[in-house]
Amino acid sequence: TVDVGTPPTGYSYEEWKTVEVHFHGFADLPSESVESPEFICVGHKWRLSLIPGGQDFSDPGMVNIYIKLSSDEDIDLMYVFTVKDSDGKEVAHYMDKDVYELDDDSFPPSFAKRSKIMDVLAEGTLIVEVRMKLDDVTSTPVLFIPENPLCKNILQKFMDEDSADVLFLVGSENEGGRGARKKAKTTLASFHAHHLILQDGAPTLAELCKSAKQLSPVRITDVKPDVFRHMLYYIYGGKVTDEELKANALHIMDAADQYGVVNLKLEAEACYARSITLTVDNMLDILLYADAKNCAFLKEIVVDFMVENGKDILGKVSFENVPSSMMTDILTAVTRGKDTNGDHSDVSDYNTMRVGTLRKKLHEKGLDIDGSREAMIALLKENS
């Protein structure tokens, strides 16, 4: 190899792969691009294109050469184009480095003068020597490190009978026909679980089977089997689909609240709040339900509706059965409505803070986010 100038440090041509591309009848080739057949070099497919008349941006009388990647992947490449005379001396030389994608190309502004190339044709053929070398970044083996499999492994234990140490029998027995003393037979659904997983995911559920012997059945009569399955799947790290959550929001909320699956309860609460349309006729039932289940977000939405639609509600709805403790929620909504600044996230004023903000602050402190507004505010003040 005859180098024109001093090659950069580290450019040892022994590591490079070389391909010769012959353009026959160069003098008669059209001035626009002429493309070679596909060839393989450094383990990838390429095409070499020659523009005898040069690009529009090239100097007059110049010839352009460029390469295109045909393989469907990214390549970090160093390459050299060389044309030699009959004595093996380089008369045209171009070196560059680029990142190639499928059908990507690189345009050296001016490869060589056409007159110089015409002088070194071998019986009318232009021979272009193409050297290629993968850059060190891509020549290093690509690392693939999968994510921590713990969550996946736990989910795979869902309903795994072989490793389970808890068995739930879910379903209720309904009374028989009129005057019948005998209970109608029902099919109970079996759910295998692991006490260790239930301890954190559903502490109340775990307590039920704490004293039970291994695989001694634990009866669950107040939750439907399909709802229990959704809840148990969630405890193991699964996701309840939006469709299932919307279709069973109240039942899931009830079960999650009863057995201490807090996050699922809040997801169901949010889903139910988005799906309902509050009216003067249904708002009181929803308000009482939210209060009974400590669904602070749902209660906040209903109270906001009451404050905004007070004129339509007065005289049409009786509040005799509403607990007196709700006066605080109503007063909070009224006070918040009079705040023209609209900023209720001041850390020093928990009393008018939105439920979502209170829950976020509790979560950031690692505290329990389930409970009424009053309970959440008291817990924040206690830990401030």
Side-chain angles (χ1 to χ4, degrees):
T1 300
V2 177
D3 293 311
V4 178
T6 303
T9 302
Y11 277 68
S12 171
Y13 287 134
E14 294 178 0
E15 303 175 9
W16 294 59
K17 303 299 180 183
T18 303
V19 174
E20 282 191 354
V21 181
H22 294 205
F23 291 92
H24 302 290
F26 174 79
D28 299 324
L29 292 177
S31 60
E32 59 268 17
S33 177
V34 178
E35 196 169 87
S36 76
E38 207 171 68
F39 60 92
I40 296 177
C41 190
V42 294
H44 300 279
K45 296 178 180 179
W46 306 88
R47 287 167 289 161
L48 186 68
S49 291
L50 174 74
I51 307 179
Q55 289 282 1
D56 295 337
F57 51 77
S58 302
D59 296 331
M62 301 298 290
V63 174
N64 278 89
I65 297 178
Y66 65 94
I67 53 174
K68 277 189 174 182
L69 175 65
S70 299
S71 300
D72 189 9
E73 55 185 305
D74 296 349
I75 305 296
D76 200 344
L77 182 77
M78 290 183 284
Y79 62 93
V80 178
F81 301 145
T82 302
V83 173
K84 300 177 181 178
D85 61 16
S86 57
D87 296 326
K89 182 179 179 181
E90 291 185 352
V91 297
H93 177 96
Y94 181 83
M95 176 183 287
D96 204 355
K97 174 182 176 181
D98 208 345
V99 177
Y100 281 84
E101 299 175 354
L102 178 63
D103 287 331
D104 198 7
D105 46 44
S106 179
F107 295 93
S110 297
F111 174 62
K113 287 186 176 181
R114 181 180 177 85
S115 58
K116 182 182 290 188
I117 288 180
M118 292 293 293
D119 291 339
V120 296
L121 298 179
E123 298 183 0
T125 297
L126 170 62
I127 301 174
V128 180
E129 186 180 276
V130 181
R131 297 192 192 106
M132 293 185 181
K133 176 185 176 184
L134 295 178
D135 190 49
D136 290 341
V137 174
T138 55
S139 61
T140 302
V142 177
L143 290 175
F144 171 72
I145 303 175
E147 62 183 13
N148 190 321
L150 178 61
C151 294
K152 180 181 178 181
N153 292 343
I154 292 176
L155 187 56
Q156 288 177 341
K157 292 297 182 183
F158 174 67
M159 297 289 283
D160 182 39
E161 185 174 350
D162 292 337
S163 61
D165 56 5
V166 176
L167 174 62
F168 293 105
L169 296 180
V170 182
S172 59
E173 292 179 335
N174 300 318
E175 293 292 337
R178 189 183 309 170
R181 296 181 180 179
K182 197 174 184 179
K183 292 185 176 180
K185 291 183 178 179
T186 59
T187 303
L188 299 177
S190 299
F191 295 90
H192 291 86
H194 304 78
H195 189 264
L196 181 63
I197 295 175
L198 297 176
Q199 281 181 317
D200 290 328
T204 307
L205 196 59
E207 283 294 322
L208 289 179
C209 49
K210 188 174 182 181
S211 58
K213 296 180 181 180
Q214 188 172 17
L215 288 183
S216 177
V218 177
R219 285 295 307 274
I220 303 292
T221 60
D222 49 8
V223 180
K224 294 180 179 180
D226 57 338
V227 172
F228 190 86
R229 183 183 182 87
H230 289 316
M231 182 175 69
L232 192 61
Y233 185 67
Y234 187 92
I235 293 168
Y236 277 72
K239 175 72 176 175
V240 181
T241 65
D242 292 339
E243 293 78 14
E244 293 289 352
L245 202 59
K246 187 174 181 179
N248 300 280
L250 284 175
H251 293 303
I252 291 176
M253 235 190 303
D254 289 342
D257 178 65
Q258 181 168 347
Y259 294 111
V261 191
V262 174
N263 280 32
L264 180 59
K265 173 188 172 180
L266 300 189
E267 283 193 35
E269 177 193 25
C271 177
Y272 181 68
R274 289 193 300 267
S275 66
I276 60 172
T277 299
L278 286 171
T279 66
V280 174
D281 295 327
N282 68 12
M283 62 147 213
L284 188 57
D285 289 337
I286 297 174
L287 179 65
L288 293 173
Y289 174 83
D291 183 65
K293 299 295 180 181
N294 275 328
C295 294
F297 176 69
L298 182 60
K299 188 199 287 191
E300 182 176 74
I301 289 176
V302 180
V303 171
D304 284 347
F305 176 84
M306 290 169 53
V307 171
E308 293 171 5
N309 299 275
K311 289 183 179 180
D312 298 327
I313 297 171
L314 286 174
K316 297 179 181 178
V317 179
S318 173
F319 291 91
E320 291 181 2
N321 296 325
V322 175
S324 58
S325 59
M326 287 195 192
M327 286 300 300
T328 302
D329 296 282
I330 297 172
L331 184 58
T332 298
V334 172
T335 304
R336 193 163 46 227
K338 291 182 179 180
D339 185 356
T340 57
N341 294 327
D343 182 11
H344 314 297
S345 59
D346 183 2
V347 71
S348 62
D349 188 12
Y350 293 130
N351 293 320
T352 58
M353 203 171 281
R354 286 287 185 182
V355 167
T357 306
L358 291 172
R359 286 176 173 172
K360 182 179 179 182
K361 289 185 176 296
L362 287 167
H363 180 71
E364 289 171 349
K365 292 177 178 287
L367 302 173
D368 185 12
I369 62 175
D370 186 28
S372 64
R373 281 187 57 88
E374 293 76 10
M376 289 190 286
I377 291 172
L379 192 56
L380 279 170
K381 289 181 177 180
E382 183 183 333
N383 290 273
S384 294

